[in-house]
Amino acid sequence: MSKPNWKLEKVATTTLALAGNPNSGKTTLFNAITGSRQHVGNYPGITVERKEGTINIKNARVKLIDLPGTYSLSAYSEEELVARNYLIDEKPDVVIDIIDATMLERHLYLTVQFLELGIPVILALNMMDDVKKQGLRIDVSQLSNLLKCPIVETIARTGKGKQELIEVALKHAQEQGNSWKPLKISYGSDIDLALDDMIEIILENEFMTERYPARWIALKFIENDREIISIGKQTSNVADQLLTIVEETKHHCLRTLNIPPEAIIADYRYGFINSILKQNIMIQEKSRHERIALTTKLDKLLVHRYLGPMIMIAVLYSMFQITFTFGEIPMGWLESFFGWISATVTTIVPEGLLQSLLVSGIIDGVGGVMGFVPLIAIMFLMISFLEDSGYMARVAYMLDRILRIFGLHGYSAMPFIISGGIAGGCAVPGVMATRTLKSPKEKLATLLTAPFMPCGAKLPVFLLLIAAFFSEYKAQMMFSITLLAWIMALLVAKLVRSTIIKGESTPFIMELPPYRLPTARGIFIHTWERTWQYIKKAGTVILAVSILLWAAMTFPGLPEQEINQFEDARQVLHSTISDSTELEQAIIKIDNRQGQSALRYSIAGKIGTSLEPLSQLAGFDWRTNIALVGGFAAKEVIVSTFGTAYSLGDVDPEAAETLSSRIAADKSWNKFTALAMIVFVLLYAPCVVTVVATAKESSWRWAIFALVFNTLLGFGIAVAIYQVGTKLFM
Ligand code: GDP
Ligand code: MG
């Protein structure tokens, strides 16, 4: 009975929030609905992604929010808190709860919690194509009657049902207005009684009722929800009255049933769901669930007690191999490309400061950053595949028990391995891979320790020193270095988790999703998003730092007088040596000596020299110091700076032997200096790119902490090795 509305009215905006378990198809549906009209940001103050989009339908404006995926509305993870607080504080008009219809029981667990909160909800029964493939049919109208909320069937991948979904959501928003009608589930007599008592106290005192429904507050107290309880404690001492009841109930439950109240509550929620599902909601048209059956079969093998870990090691190892084998090819292209630009600039721009700035400062710096891009892209490609297929969840599941001892999580394994846990990785993609970790504390502990792994850039340093001092024990040394890296990473993780980032470990509530063949499009988008982010964010900072380092190793140039001395020496050679090859050799020697003097004279050289009194404790002289300072830009720089400092000019890998024999012959070096240096290089400050990546994943404070802490730790151990070694054995 709508009358024409003649008044000019501002178009009202309806806000719809997309919520659901991870992997239910939220993002796919969000993209299908909003198309390109979306923007991505973070929730204020935290790095949980926030996606928003606006669409206009008929004469309504609809704002759509993609909430983080959650299994529950408890307070276990940041995602859960973000989703819950968004719903409570922003009060969207309707929540669209996306459900993987092939796993109704599990996914309805979250739905029930929305209903208990009372917010208007409609269900999107997604993955209806898979349901059909399994020979299942779902009685949607019956389910909708029982849950008392509208339901729309969708296939997010093709966009089927999205139109209807929005229309139903808008209609529901109009009908419901702002009224929240919490669902009341019975939790058995003990808990129900306690709830009633608590609700009475809550209502009497108007305890937090302006924000939450009373029964919900009571439930959260019994569920031991850390956020609600701590807000409650700040609000008034009613919290203490409630906690007394909670404590009594807990004792009672433990005494009579030997189950804590949280578990009873979860049981009853599932009971509620099952009572609904029992009423012929799922109708089997074919005889078997194929995907579930396949998953069960695959899991017999893939998470088998003994075979599982072996297969896992093989998968992780091949992933690692593939990343670095295939990464090498495009990395080679990029290297040649930047080499070509370097060469071109060298011919066009006259020799001098400008050329040096362009070539050694800018092009090398940018080239260094871009060089990582293929690795990152390939690695994320494979991680996306393992994630989307469901295998990553199994890896985490298998490793969780061991890593948990050290305050880490099953998902910490991947960053360690990528960073060089099997020797030869790279901490930059490793640090970025910590994104799969949901708990901020476990993520931070992983972020801080992954850079201990022997990455590909540290390897040449180890190889050089092993060749110089331990050439009989090559394999044993490499193995020990890798082992040491793991031990240090786990011990430091344990240390930080029991001191500065103390906190309980998150329970491993991750369920094992059924295996699914990922879509090429999904994987491609994931990979591109993450890679682009790296290029954008790392690019700017790295460029600035590499120009700074260039300046430090260039300025101030040698004084005129000394340059002239070298020039004179060359003149003398020209007039005394007639044989052209001999002359060339002699000239190169002078060039190198000049290079060495200039380096010593530069700011970096001065820093190296001034650090000597301290670094001598670990046996490092000024040349080692410059190499180590340069190694902060990129660990590769260590060997090439050694080359300059030991007057070898450019060092190519083939010539490394000569460099190692020079170092072996140098009086300032012995076995213990080498050991101290190996350990220091393994542990000290992560390279600039890693530091930037760490800052982006956590904060600058933690990135700087890693820088300082790792350097102190590395130095402490290096000094101990050198001092004890030289005192006792020499
Ligand atoms: P989110 O974690 O909830 O954001 O889920 P995504 O949107 O990333 O989707 C998880 C996976 O399910 C992806 O591999 C999607 O391609 C796939 N997917 C999403 N919707 C459907 C659907 O309707 N049918 C099928 N078969 N797969 C879907
Ligand atoms: Mg998503």
Side-chain angles (χ1 to χ4, degrees):
M1 287 217 303
S2 66
K3 280 186 205 154
N5 183 355
W6 302 111
K7 268 184 279 175
L8 259 182
E9 223 174 19
K10 206 171 127 237
V11 182
T13 304
T14 309
T15 308
L16 307 178
L18 284 184
N21 285 20
N23 283 317
S24 55
K26 258 174 343 83
T27 305
T28 313
L29 191 64
F30 177 84
N31 291 343
I33 295 173
T34 58
S36 55
R37 291 163 301 245
Q38 44 175 276
H39 52 99
V40 181
N42 283 338
Y43 284 89
I46 39 178
T47 56
V48 176
E49 194 174 75
R50 178 189 175 112
K51 268 192 180 174
E52 276 188 28
T54 320
I55 50 170
N56 294 309
I57 285 197
K58 290 172 195 159
N59 48 8
R61 174 188 274 273
V62 178
K63 190 161 106 183
L64 212 64
I65 315 276
D66 187 21
L67 290 182
T70 58
Y71 295 104
S72 166
L73 288 186
S74 53
Y76 278 138
S77 69
E78 203 154 349
E79 276 81 359
E80 290 179 355
L81 282 175
V82 165
R84 182 167 101 180
N85 288 334
Y86 177 83
L87 298 179
I88 290 166
D89 296 332
E90 312 281 326
K91 294 204 170 22
D93 296 290
V94 168
V95 173
I96 300 181
D97 179 14
I98 322 264
I99 282 186
D100 179 345
T102 62
M103 296 193 282
L104 264 188
E105 186 189 350
R106 279 181 198 175
H107 283 228
L108 284 175
Y109 190 73
L110 180 65
T111 314
V112 166
Q113 295 180 64
F114 289 133
L115 295 173
E116 284 190 288
L117 189 58
I119 191 163
V121 178
I122 75 166
L123 297 194
L125 269 193
N126 195 31
M127 315 240 179
M128 286 309 290
D129 52 337
D130 279 355
V131 171
K132 207 166 260 158
K133 264 190 225 145
Q134 287 175 18
L136 284 169
R137 194 162 62 76
I138 295 175
D139 188 341
V140 174
S141 65
Q142 173 77 332
L143 184 62
S144 168
N145 283 338
L146 293 169
L147 286 172
K148 300 192 183 62
C149 74
I151 299 180
V152 177
E153 297 175 61
T154 61
I155 303 175
R157 251 192 215 177
T158 62
K160 190 159 179 267
K162 64 176 182 183
Q163 190 84 18
E164 190 193 346
L165 187 68
I166 298 295
E167 281 164 14
V168 170
L170 289 177
K171 190 159 155 259
H172 197 58
Q174 260 175 10
E175 287 168 2
Q176 295 289 308
N178 287 343
S179 65
W180 286 25
K181 302 185 192 83
L183 165 76
K184 212 176 132 185
I185 295 180
S186 163
Y187 290 107
S189 55
D190 290 345
I191 291 183
D192 278 351
L193 276 177
L195 280 175
D196 287 342
D197 289 349
M198 291 167 77
I199 292 168
E200 199 175 310
I201 297 175
I202 291 168
L203 290 176
E204 222 165 74
N205 294 285
E206 294 182 348
F207 177 67
M208 303 204 282
T209 44
E210 76 293 346
R211 199 156 175 235
Y212 315 101
R215 188 179 169 86
W216 196 81
I217 302 172
L219 255 181
K220 290 294 140 184
F221 265 76
I222 296 190
E223 282 181 293
N224 197 12
D225 185 285
R226 60 181 156 93
E227 197 202 35
I228 298 296
I229 292 179
S230 92
I231 298 176
K233 276 187 176 158
Q234 287 159 24
T235 313
S236 85
N237 57 4
V238 174
D240 294 328
Q241 288 182 50
L242 297 180
L243 286 173
T244 321
I245 303 183
V246 168
E247 215 37 50
E248 280 167 13
T249 316
K250 186 173 167 188
H251 274 293
H252 187 74
C253 292
L254 286 173
R255 212 157 4 111
T256 53
L257 300 166
N258 200 19
I259 307 175
E262 306 91 280
I264 299 182
I265 289 176
D267 283 353
Y268 273 89
R269 279 194 190 125
Y270 276 116
F272 173 80
I273 295 166
N274 275 319
S275 70
I276 290 178
L277 293 182
K278 282 234 174 65
Q279 313 200 23
N280 268 338
I281 299 295
M282 309 275 280
I283 302 145
Q284 188 80 53
E285 294 190 321
K286 269 194 232 153
S287 60
R288 285 182 64 77
H289 295 217
E290 279 162 36
R291 193 154 63 108
I292 301 293
L294 179 69
T295 294
T296 315
K297 237 188 259 169
L298 273 175
D299 269 347
K300 278 216 175 96
L301 183 67
L302 295 179
V303 293
H304 183 273
R305 201 187 311 178
Y306 305 113
L307 285 176
M310 279 169 14
I311 295 172
M312 173 177 74
I313 290 170
V315 169
L316 295 179
Y317 185 73
S318 7
M319 182 179 137
F320 179 85
Q321 281 295 325
I322 292 170
T323 304
F324 290 95
T325 312
F326 285 94
E328 235 165 58
I329 304 166
M331 274 174 95
W333 296 338
L334 280 173
E335 214 167 278
S336 328
F337 176 69
F338 281 101
W340 173 78
I341 296 189
S342 255
T344 314
V345 171
T346 312
T347 49
I348 296 173
V349 182
E351 206 175 313
L353 266 189
L354 180 65
Q355 189 202 70
S356 168
L357 169 67
L358 288 175
V359 173
S360 312
I362 296 176
I363 298 174
D364 283 359
V366 175
V369 174
M370 299 311 274
F372 286 115
V373 169
L375 276 194
I376 287 173
I378 294 176
M379 189 213 47
F380 277 133
L381 192 84
M382 273 181 301
I383 290 195
S384 300
F385 183 87
L386 291 185
E387 266 175 11
D388 287 6
S389 67
Y391 186 67
M392 272 295 253
R394 270 81 185 170
V395 171
Y397 170 79
M398 286 186 276
L399 287 173
D400 191 64
R401 241 182 310 167
I402 302 169
L403 291 169
R404 173 167 302 261
I405 300 172
F406 299 95
L408 297 164
H409 186 272
Y411 276 146
S412 307
M414 197 43 107
F416 282 151
I417 290 165
I418 293 163
S419 300
I422 323 179
C426 173
V428 177
V431 158
M432 291 172 80
T434 58
R435 266 174 223 178
T436 37
L437 283 147
K438 298 277 182 252
S439 141
K441 288 183 176 162
E442 285 157 2
K443 174 176 174 178
L444 196 53
T446 314
L447 265 180
L448 293 177
T449 47
F452 288 148
M453 295 299 161
C455 72
K458 293 178 192 169
L459 289 186
V461 187
F462 300 148
L463 294 176
L464 176 75
L465 293 173
I466 291 174
F469 295 98
F470 311 98
S471 52
E472 323 86 283
Y473 306 111
K474 273 200 180 101
Q476 291 93 322
M477 281 298 288
M478 279 317 296
F479 180 78
S480 316
I481 291 172
T482 312
L483 191 66
L484 179 70
W486 276 93
I487 293 174
M488 290 308 296
L490 293 181
L491 288 183
V492 170
K494 182 75 192 168
L495 177 75
V496 292
R497 286 290 276 120
S498 37
T499 53
I500 43 177
I501 32 180
K502 213 165 169 167
E504 273 171 51
S505 45
T506 35
F508 196 82
I509 46 166
M510 164 104 217
E511 290 156 15
L512 300 180
Y515 293 103
R516 174 180 288 135
L517 198 62
T519 59
R521 199 183 128 91
I523 291 181
F524 175 76
I525 293 175
H526 273 152
T527 307
W528 170 247
E529 278 175 355
R530 291 160 160 179
T531 310
W532 179 236
Q533 217 171 10
Y534 164 76
I535 297 176
K536 241 181 1 192
K537 290 183 175 167
T540 43
V541 180
I542 298 307
L543 185 59
V545 172
S546 64
I547 291 177
L548 264 178
L549 266 164
W550 165 83
M553 290 175 76
T554 307
F555 293 110
L558 277 179
E560 190 117 0
Q561 192 191 350
E562 285 195 39
I563 296 181
N564 289 340
Q565 276 174 10
F566 283 109
E567 203 43 52
D568 292 346
R570 271 188 280 260
Q571 291 305 328
V572 172
L573 290 178
H574 275 292
S575 51
T576 51
I577 303 178
S578 50
D579 181 84
S580 68
T581 28
E582 211 175 302
L583 177 66
E584 203 177 318
Q585 295 273 316
I587 297 270
I588 286 178
K589 257 193 195 145
I590 300 239
D591 286 350
N592 286 337
R593 280 232 304 281
Q594 182 173 355
Q596 186 179 357
S597 303
L599 183 61
R600 182 156 200 168
Y601 199 77
S602 70
I603 299 173
K606 298 236 168 72
I607 295 175
T609 317
S610 65
L611 285 176
E612 218 171 34
L614 183 65
S615 67
Q616 279 298 358
L617 289 175
F620 304 158
D621 72 356
W622 70 275
R623 290 172 294 196
T624 310
N625 292 347
I626 300 181
L628 291 171
V629 171
F632 172 58
K635 301 275 150 89
E636 288 93 337
V637 174
I638 298 176
V639 173
S640 63
T641 311
F642 261 156
T644 318
Y646 284 86
S647 294
L648 265 169
D650 275 342
V651 196
D652 59 354
E654 274 91 1
E657 248 167 29
T658 4
L659 179 57
S660 73
S661 56
R662 268 188 197 233
I663 289 178
D666 196 293
K667 275 198 286 298
S668 65
W669 282 88
N670 61 47
K671 272 192 168 54
F672 296 104
T673 328
L675 272 184
M677 169 95 172
I678 287 176
V679 172
F680 188 73
V681 169
L682 185 70
L683 301 178
Y684 89 116
C687 69
V688 173
V689 195
T690 307
V691 171
V692 174
T694 306
K696 297 297 171 196
E697 291 302 327
S698 54
S699 68
W700 275 104
R701 227 162 43 114
W702 284 112
I704 290 167
F705 172 83
L707 209 153
V708 175
F709 177 80
N710 293 9
T711 307
L712 291 179
L713 179 73
F715 190 65
I717 300 183
V719 169
I721 291 176
Y722 181 75
Q723 293 296 340
V724 173
T726 46
K727 298 261 152 66
L728 289 189
F729 302 102
M730 292 185 68

